[in-house]
Amino acid sequence: AQKITQTQPGMFVQEKEAVTLDCTYDTSDPSYGLFWYKQPSSGEMIFLIYQGSYDQQNATEGRYSLNFQKARKSANLVISASQLGDSAMYFCAMRALDNAGNMLTFGGGTRLMVKP
Amino acid sequence: NAGVTQTPKFRILKIGQSMTLQCTQDMNHNYMYWYRQDPGMGLKLIYYSVGAGITDKGEVPNGYNVSRSTTEDFPLRLELAAPSQTSVYFCASSYSLGGELFFGEGSRLTVL
């Protein structure tokens, strides 16, 4: 069974500073993908970044980077230079890649609040 | 570039009514998914499709049906709506098995 744990229910960060959102996972599948999604108050799910379990390098997308430590089973999201628009819920998710029907397992989410 | 489009965005149903949530994507993605998100929770997979004419159940399929007659469209049918189906429904698509999922804006359904 897959499990995603996000230990920070809520976090504050000062505008323009960097912030790390924690995510640990547990799976017995050798091939899996890790995802981060942003859900603003309007409710839509916005894909941020993806890391495959066999990827050698940490994923980066603009101000987002994923600190992937496979041995520790962690996939923390780093947001650099926080902006007020980054205030939202952030979900870490993973999916085994051997079957299209494998569910995308979500963590409980972290609410990030950016202070001006 | 529209991406994944869902309609309607909001709907209130009475117990026992039926309705269809529409989902269409213009990215030529093979894989499409329907998820539901209950308040304060992550998403749960209802049904998925790996291509036109092929659908399969996810984690919580009871009370729902889907069809995939074209690559672009993946409607979700609710039969005999129940209060337990009050949720936000997300349609998503991906190009490949390991690729990221692109989500629609969500459809908020309330069953009273």
Side-chain angles (χ1 to χ4, degrees), chain B residues 82-96:
Chain B
S84 61
Q85 293 177 303
T86 294
S87 191
V88 179
Y89 292 83
F90 288 96
C91 180
S93 71
S94 67
Y95 178 72
S96 63

Side-chain angles (χ1 to χ4, degrees), chain B residues 6-92:
Chain B
Q6 291 180 233
T7 56
K9 288 187 170 48
F10 302 94
R11 182 73 185 268
I12 297 175
L13 283 180
K14 294 182 179 179
I15 294 172
Q17 286 186 320
S18 300
M19 74 160 296
T20 299
L21 297 176
Q22 301 292 342
C23 175
T24 187
Q25 51 92 7
D26 62 358
M27 298 175 282
N28 201 32
H29 285 173
N30 289 323
Y31 300 88
M32 295 189 74
Y33 305 83
W34 274 106
Y35 288 88
R36 59 177 286 173
Q37 184 182 29
D38 297 328
M41 307 290 286
L43 278 66
K44 293 186 177 180
L45 182 64
I46 305 172
Y47 270 95
Y48 69 98
S49 168
V50 301
I54 306 170
T55 63
D56 209 343
K57 297 177 181 178
E59 185 185 10
V60 289
N62 292 341
Y64 307 94
N65 276 299
V66 293
S67 60
R68 184 96 182 269
S69 57
T70 66
T71 299
E72 295 78 19
D73 300 309
F74 191 41
L76 177 72
R77 176 97 178 144
L78 281 74
E79 304 282 1
L80 300 175
S84 61
Q85 293 177 303
T86 294
S87 191
V88 179
Y89 292 83
F90 288 96
C91 180

Side-chain angles (χ1 to χ4, degrees), chain A residues 11-50:
Chain A
M11 288 189 69
F12 285 96
V13 64
Q14 197 68 41
E15 191 179 10
K16 300 181 184 177
E17 291 186 349
V19 62
T20 297
L21 306 184
D22 294 341
C23 173
T24 59
Y25 61 92
D26 190 20
T27 182
S28 56
D29 294 295
S31 178
Y32 52 89
L34 294 155
F35 304 79
W36 276 92
Y37 285 90
K38 173 184 178 181
Q39 188 175 43
S41 57
S42 51
E44 70 267 32
M45 296 289 285
I46 302 169
F47 166 76
L48 295 178
I49 197 166
Y50 168 82

Side-chain angles (χ1 to χ4, degrees), chain A residues 46-97:
Chain A
I46 302 169
F47 166 76
L48 295 178
I49 197 166
Y50 168 82
Q51 179 87 41
S53 58
Y54 291 114
D55 292 344
Q56 295 296 315
Q57 305 222 343
N58 287 345
T60 60
E61 289 287 348
R63 294 187 298 113
Y64 304 108
S65 60
L66 201 152
N67 184 1
F68 180 47
Q69 299 187 46
K70 192 171 183 178
R72 300 175 69 177
K73 294 189 174 180
S74 74
N76 298 339
L77 177 70
V78 180
I79 305 175
S80 62
S82 297
Q83 301 172 357
L84 295 178
D86 294 336
S87 294
M89 282 290 289
Y90 289 82
F91 289 97
C92 179
M94 72 169 293
R95 184 161 69 108
L97 300 181

